[in-house]
Amino acid sequence: MAKILDITLNGRKRADAVPNNLLLLDYLREVVGLTGTKTGCDGGECGACTVLIDDRPALSCLTLAASVQGHRVDTVESLGRGGHLSAVQRGFHEKLGSQCGYCTPGFIMASVGLLRRNPNPSDTEILDALGSNICRCTGYVKIIEAVKHAAQLQAAGVAP
Amino acid sequence: MDALPDFQLLRPASLGDVLKARTEYPDARLLGGGTDLMVNIRRGIVAPTALIDMKNVTELRAIKADAKGIEVGASVTLTELAEHPEVGKYYPVVAQAAAHIAGPTHRNMGTVGGNICLDTRCIYYNQSEWWRSANNHCLKTTGTICHVAPKSRGVCFATFSGDLAPAFLTLGAEVDIIGAAGLRTVPLNSIYIGFARQDTPVTETFGDGKYYLSLRPGEFVTAVRAKNISGLRSAYDKIRIRRSIEYPVAGVAVALRREGDNLVDLRVAFTGTNPRPVLLTGTERLCGRTFDERALKGLEELVRDQVMSMKTTFTPGHYRRRVAGVLARRLVTRLFNS
């Protein structure tokens, strides 16, 4: 069984026929070809597949593609325009918030979700907002610095 | 590349349409946030022929909370509940319990109805098909013995771990349940039947880790409701192996009233310990006087008698029982002295 999915993906409207049992994660990676969103634990435990649905972080590995009908979905590919990195991307790059990089798209999207709701978060608020994501490399200190740096870049108008 | 077996997906916009869909697909499962159900489908634990997505049912998406009472629809997300200003002001135990569930992204997805009716968990159950078949499955799926208690004679010990249930239990909440036969309202405590007593057979009203809810076929919870009790102080706390995502080692909700130096009302409820959330009985014996060492000892005895932790998680049962006792002691002391 398939359904027509109307979705605003990274700011662009599109329509695709999707089977009922297709996960949003597989839709993004296999149907649309946006492989920035990563498949991690496949069970909602790691946050590597985090995307924004209507600006709220959600796990695409546990979301059915057909259930985001009519919603806005943003993936890591929505960030950075015209060869310039977004504030959160620059934060992770400049503060070394990324090591092996596998968890990074998920962390970046969770951070983007946080900064859209709260442009100037405290350390605790950052920790709370990233609680659904796991990184086995950085030890999280650099990631928190990266998000703080991103908030400053955004506030200064240096990067979107 | 199919990660999931095929199923019909229904996305009703009204309660009437949900009931119609349930009649049409009797073995359909209700899909809230999917943070537990989708994992279980992926692991082959359940294989429903149809899923009913409850996120668009507008009647179930409201929170009403003020100084008189609280009523929360089943499709409200856990983030919406945790962040609701009036819930935080008048019903701190509910807001705190909601904020303690899993991690922030999970809470954006997960729903109140899903957490109230959360499937019980066990290290022998929440595993891949391959893992479970290598272990000859277990009572909660298609097996014949409970690996937690092999001599349990048909009783399953999987643990209830939802956080909202103990919070609402301390408020004396009731739930609305709807089905083909209509709407009924029952005390929240009465839907949890995971008593898991080895001396009594498992029945529809006296269940275990497998039959943990008293809902009849086709029925589902639509709302949870409680009255405000003036002067009630309440809070929620839990311990887990890491501070987010993870299921509880033990969680405790406490609500109490103090008049002068005396404790006059005490409600303590646990999750993550038994096949049902446990609202301690006998706490009235600790009331009517101050909360001192003697009362602490009394509380400890109640916990010891009623909290039954088995080896259903990676942390041993006796440890979880001690954690439950310590958490309760700390929270009661803090609220009494606040």
Side-chain angles (χ1 to χ4, degrees):
Chain A
M1 282 299 177
K3 281 188 170 53
I4 300 294
L5 166 66
D6 299 294
I7 180 179
T8 306
L9 179 58
N10 296 340
R12 277 193 200 168
K13 287 200 161 102
R14 60 180 288 153
D16 292 281
V18 293
N20 283 334
N21 62 349
L22 184 69
L23 291 163
L24 180 59
L25 173 67
D26 293 332
Y27 166 75
L28 293 171
R29 292 181 57 88
E30 313 281 339
V31 178
V32 189
L34 295 177
T35 53
T37 306
K38 300 300 180 219
T39 310
C41 67
D42 255 354
E45 294 165 31
C46 78
C49 67
T50 305
V51 298
L52 300 186
I53 300 177
D54 298 336
D55 293 329
R56 286 276 189 185
L59 300 166
S60 61
C61 77
L62 298 180
T63 304
L64 293 174
S67 74
V68 295
Q69 166 70 24
H71 291 274
R72 274 186 304 119
V73 174
D74 291 316
T75 69
V76 71
E77 285 93 347
S78 69
L79 309 175
R81 291 276 151 82
H84 294 283
L85 297 181
S86 76
V88 177
Q89 287 173 313
R90 271 187 64 178
F92 274 75
H93 177 57
E94 289 167 15
K95 293 292 172 184
L96 308 177
S98 174
Q99 283 185 23
C100 88
Y102 200 84
C103 70
T104 307
F107 265 102
I108 286 183
M109 293 320 285
S111 307
V112 170
L114 168 68
L115 294 183
R116 283 190 189 166
R117 292 192 308 280
N118 177 2
N120 187 23
S122 67
D123 281 19
T124 326
E125 286 168 333
I126 295 173
L127 270 177
D128 286 346
L130 300 180
S132 286
N133 296 70
I134 287 177
C135 171
R136 299 280 87 149
C137 305
T138 61
Y140 303 103
V141 174
K142 294 284 178 192
I143 290 177
I144 293 158
E145 281 177 20
V147 178
K148 274 161 65 177
H149 186 52
Q152 286 161 2
L153 288 173
Q154 239 176 16
V158 183
Chain B
M1 62 164 252
D2 281 4
L4 302 172
D6 200 12
F7 45 75
Q8 185 58 254
L9 176 67
L10 300 128
R11 309 193 66 232
S14 71
L15 211 46
D17 289 347
V18 177
L19 289 169
K20 234 179 275 168
R22 293 225 88 177
T23 325
E24 207 176 328
Y25 298 93
D27 81 330
R29 294 289 294 255
L30 302 187
L31 175 66
T35 47
D36 192 47
L37 180 59
M38 293 308 286
V39 181
N40 286 356
I41 294 176
R42 296 195 74 153
R43 288 173 167 173
I45 292 172
V46 287
T49 56
L51 290 181
I52 303 174
D53 186 346
M54 301 295 283
K55 279 287 181 71
N56 295 333
V57 184
T58 39
E59 293 113 301
L60 306 183
R61 296 222 47 157
I63 303 178
K64 285 178 237 158
D66 55 28
K68 284 185 187 146
I70 177 171
E71 182 176 335
V72 188
S75 295
V76 167
T77 70
L78 301 169
T79 301
E80 288 162 353
L81 183 61
E83 291 179 352
H84 195 279
E86 259 68 41
V87 174
K89 184 175 170 193
Y90 297 108
Y91 310 95
V93 67
V94 172
Q96 288 169 21
H100 271 85
I101 298 165
T105 308
H106 305 84
R107 293 195 293 272
N108 289 340
M109 304 169 70
T111 60
V112 169
N115 196 263
I116 295 274
C117 299
L118 186 67
D119 195 7
T120 52
R121 301 182 64 80
C122 179
I123 37 169
Y124 295 98
Y125 175 67
N126 299 95
Q127 299 285 356
S128 66
E129 176 77 38
W130 167 81
W131 194 104
R132 284 179 290 112
S133 72
N135 207 30
N136 274 330
H137 299 277
C138 78
L139 261 185
K140 194 164 158 67
T141 56
T142 53
T144 49
I145 59 165
C146 173
H147 299 296
V148 170
K151 292 178 189 162
S152 76
R153 284 175 294 179
V155 178
C156 163
F157 287 96
T159 302
F160 183 85
S161 54
D163 293 284
L164 292 182
F168 277 111
L169 285 177
T170 61
L171 301 179
E174 54 183 28
V175 283
D176 286 345
I177 296 170
I178 204 166
L183 182 85
R184 61 188 178 110
T185 302
V186 298
L188 175 63
N189 206 17
S190 73
I191 72 168
Y192 298 114
I193 55 166
F195 295 97
R197 291 279 300 264
Q198 293 178 71
D199 50 0
T200 354
V202 169
T203 62
E204 270 174 34
T205 51
F206 202 86
D208 60 352
K210 183 171 183 177
Y211 302 101
Y212 63 100
L213 288 179
S214 66
L215 300 183
R216 298 166 194 151
E219 280 189 334
F220 58 96
V221 170
T222 56
V224 55
R225 185 182 315 108
K227 289 197 185 83
N228 193 7
I229 299 157
S230 78
L232 198 71
R233 306 170 186 179
S234 69
Y236 186 81
D237 199 8
K238 79 170 171 185
I239 285 189
R240 15 183 191 178
I241 296 301
R242 61 175 178 238
R243 267 198 313 193
S244 80
I245 308 177
E246 198 58 74
Y247 285 87
V249 166
V252 61
V254 174
L256 60 82
R257 280 188 303 134
R258 176 182 176 163
E259 279 171 16
D261 279 341
N262 287 347
L263 180 67
V264 292
D265 186 359
L266 175 65
R267 301 121 183 255
V268 183
F270 296 94
T271 190
T273 56
N274 296 35
R276 66 190 179 102
V278 177
L279 178 65
L280 277 193
T281 54
T283 50
E284 66 282 352
R285 274 177 270 154
L286 310 175
C287 297
R289 52 197 173 84
T290 190
F291 194 76
D292 52 9
E293 274 305 315
R294 206 174 108 210
L296 275 174
K297 200 145 178 59
L299 178 65
E300 215 165 87
E301 278 165 21
L302 293 178
V303 173
R304 195 192 56 210
D305 291 348
Q306 294 171 48
V307 166
M308 174 195 70
S309 306
M310 304 283 282
K311 183 140 180 44
T312 53
T313 68
F314 288 105
T315 39
H318 63 85
Y319 172 71
R320 274 156 57 223
R321 189 190 306 217
R322 281 185 66 183
V323 167
V326 170
L327 270 178
R329 198 173 68 203
R330 278 188 205 158
L331 212 51
V332 174
T333 310
R334 195 182 88 204
L335 284 175
F336 185 76
N337 294 321
S338 67

